[in-house]
Amino acid sequence: MATACPPLSLPSTTSLLRRSPRAAPSRRPVRCSAVGEAVAEAAVAGTAEEPLLVSAIRGKKVDRPPVWLMRQAGRYMKSYQNLCERYPLFRERSENVDLVVEISLQPWKVFKPDGVILFSDILTPLPGMNIPFDIVKGKGPVIYDPLRTAAAVNEVREFVPGEWVPYVGQALNILRQEVKNEAAVLGFVGAPFTLASYCVEGGSSKNFSKIKKMAFAEPEILHTLLQKFTTSMANYIKYQADNGAQAVQIFDSWATELSPVDFEEFSLPYLKQIVDSVKETHPDLPLILYASGSGGLLERLPLTGVDVVSLDWTVDMAEGRKRLGSNIAVQGNVDPGVLFGSKEFITKRIHDTVQKAGNEGHVLNLGHGIKVGTPEENVAHFFEVAKGIRY
């Protein structure tokens, strides 16, 4: 049985952003309902006007933290494994409207998360930018012609989502119809530096020597590439929002390979440019930024202007709140490995995270995507405990 959570007292924080101040997280006690206890879910789920997740991000008073999990649609689910047997190629699954919708809804039908994220990949726009790629089983992304010269970068064209990925817009529209406002439909994009890293390295990398060689020896080439990705991803976010996405997460997975001074040159200004561009046309669209291993860059992340910073599990939630400032919401940050533990241990870690995050502006999530092999029954327990919490 879950026990009641003691109240959390958070330190006062100082704003890092020149925006209207968000109230500091409330110090009301957190009540965690016993696992299996019937709760009035309608009172805390999304309303006809706005999903719970969106309300929480906007700093509105909610009765519990909304919850969803990165990679919640994926290889740990038996239903997804069965589908992969029929459609073995990743791009076959991620570029077909019916399959994208089916896969995106698999966790929704089982766990009812508060966010339903589009099943896709951050590299999906690349062919539309004249960058051929594939995702090879056992190897990951492969860029067939890595971008390592000015001539190659000059061949990269601006991404026009409606022409190249109409299935994304169609899938988002269908997801909105299916989910209504019982959960928020989430879109996502890759950040410029992360996309550039894949394209220059030729795929995943351990030491990022090729992208850093370009950054430090031929920075003008990299800046040209980063600008092309910036313009294209801003347009892609707007396209997703226009087709039903109620929030969009930006993944800058590899920006944390940069030192702080290099982050300020090769990532931060381009992230800020994306946010500024999107907010001009979609001022109410919540934007979430996730960068794994971002502890050394944490104070710089709110300077992008995003609405939410998603913390990985290497940062203590209470310390992360203090370092980020009170003007920004947080997401996270349970270690994905916790889901391999006992149900009692999972419950304890959920309560600890929620206590430290406070009662406002928190979206409960993992600090990274779900690991392959995670027991489905433990994921079910995670959602059951999370949705039983009451502030």
Side-chain angles (χ1 to χ4, degrees):
M1 298 288 284
T3 55
C5 298
L8 169 68
S9 178
L10 288 175
S12 61
T13 54
T14 303
S15 169
L16 287 171
L17 300 177
R18 295 176 181 175
R19 304 194 299 190
S20 58
R22 174 195 292 270
S26 169
R27 301 187 183 190
R28 287 180 293 153
V30 177
R31 180 173 66 86
C32 300
S33 303
V35 176
E37 176 185 331
V39 293
E41 188 61 34
V44 293
T47 66
E49 296 81 22
E50 184 174 80
L52 177 68
L53 185 145
V54 175
S55 295
I57 289 175
R58 290 177 175 162
K60 296 181 180 179
K61 181 179 178 180
V62 294
D63 290 334
R64 66 168 174 86
V67 56
W68 69 282
L69 303 181
M70 288 184 276
R71 293 185 187 164
Q72 65 187 15
R75 290 175 290 177
Y76 73 98
M77 294 191 74
K78 181 62 176 175
S79 56
Y80 180 78
Q81 296 168 14
N82 293 339
L83 189 143
C84 289
E85 292 178 1
R86 289 182 285 138
Y87 305 97
L89 301 179
F90 180 85
R91 290 188 62 184
E92 182 181 19
R93 300 189 295 273
S94 65
E95 298 179 13
N96 175 289
V97 176
D98 293 337
L99 294 179
V100 168
V101 170
E102 180 180 350
I103 295 168
S104 301
L105 289 176
Q106 284 178 344
W108 165 250
K109 292 176 178 178
V110 178
F111 308 120
K112 286 293 189 288
D114 296 302
V116 174
I117 191 165
L118 177 78
F119 178 77
S120 187
D121 192 85
I122 63 170
L123 302 185
T124 292
L126 294 189
M129 300 184 72
N130 197 29
I131 307 171
F133 90 102
D134 205 351
I135 296 180
V136 180
K137 186 175 181 179
K139 188 173 182 180
V142 176
I143 309 298
Y144 291 114
D145 297 303
L147 308 177
R148 295 173 185 166
T149 66
V153 170
N154 287 338
E155 293 299 313
V156 176
R157 57 177 174 248
E158 184 175 321
F159 180 55
V160 182
E163 293 181 9
W164 285 93
V165 293
Y167 52 87
V168 167
Q170 294 165 22
L172 286 168
N173 274 288
I174 295 170
L175 289 174
R176 279 295 298 273
Q177 295 170 19
E178 291 286 333
V179 176
K180 299 181 171 55
N181 271 348
E182 294 178 47
V185 172
L186 304 171
F188 70 93
V189 302
F193 182 80
T194 290
L195 294 174
S197 295
Y198 278 112
C199 293
V200 174
E201 295 288 338
S204 300
S205 179
K206 291 184 178 180
N207 53 32
F208 296 87
S209 59
K210 295 179 179 64
I211 185 78
K212 289 191 175 184
K213 177 182 178 182
M214 180 180 286
F216 303 148
E218 300 176 297
E220 66 282 355
I221 298 178
L222 180 54
H223 281 300
T224 299
L225 180 59
L226 291 170
Q227 186 58 58
K228 290 188 175 189
F229 279 129
T230 297
T231 302
S232 294
M233 292 308 104
N235 290 337
Y236 193 25
I237 292 174
K238 296 173 187 179
Y239 174 79
Q240 292 183 30
D242 290 340
N243 283 279
Q246 293 163 291
V248 176
Q249 181 154 309
I250 304 169
F251 286 89
D252 208 353
S253 309
W254 304 132
T256 52
E257 294 294 326
L258 294 169
S259 69
V261 66
D262 295 320
F263 175 80
E264 290 176 355
E265 178 175 356
F266 297 107
S267 182
L268 177 58
Y270 297 103
L271 289 168
K272 188 176 188 305
Q273 194 179 138
I274 287 174
V275 174
D276 289 345
S277 177
V278 171
K279 292 297 185 180
E280 283 182 8
T281 56
H282 299 72
D284 297 324
L285 179 70
L287 296 176
I288 307 166
L289 176 61
Y290 174 74
S292 58
S294 59
L297 300 171
L298 213 54
E299 287 81 1
R300 291 167 173 81
L301 300 185
L303 301 178
T304 60
V306 295
D307 304 283
V308 186
V309 168
S310 190
L311 300 174
D312 76 2
W313 72 95
T314 64
V315 177
D316 179 82
M317 176 58 80
E319 293 175 5
R321 274 286 205 185
K322 182 177 180 180
R323 292 173 61 190
L324 287 170
S326 60
N327 276 8
I328 194 161
V330 294
Q331 179 174 274
N333 67 338
V334 178
D335 184 342
V338 166
L339 293 180
F340 290 96
S342 68
K343 288 181 171 58
E344 292 76 15
F345 185 70
I346 294 169
T347 299
K348 179 181 178 181
R349 286 300 178 88
I350 291 171
H351 291 176
D352 179 68
T353 300
V354 172
Q355 291 168 20
K356 290 179 176 178
N359 301 342
E360 296 175 10
H362 175 225
V363 177
L364 182 62
N365 206 315
L366 300 177
H368 201 281
I370 296 179
K371 302 291 186 182
V372 177
T374 299
E376 276 193 69
E377 61 268 26
N378 285 1
V379 177
H381 181 76
F382 186 99
F383 279 109
E384 184 178 10
V385 172
K387 297 178 80 170
I389 290 172
R390 294 294 177 270
Y391 288 142

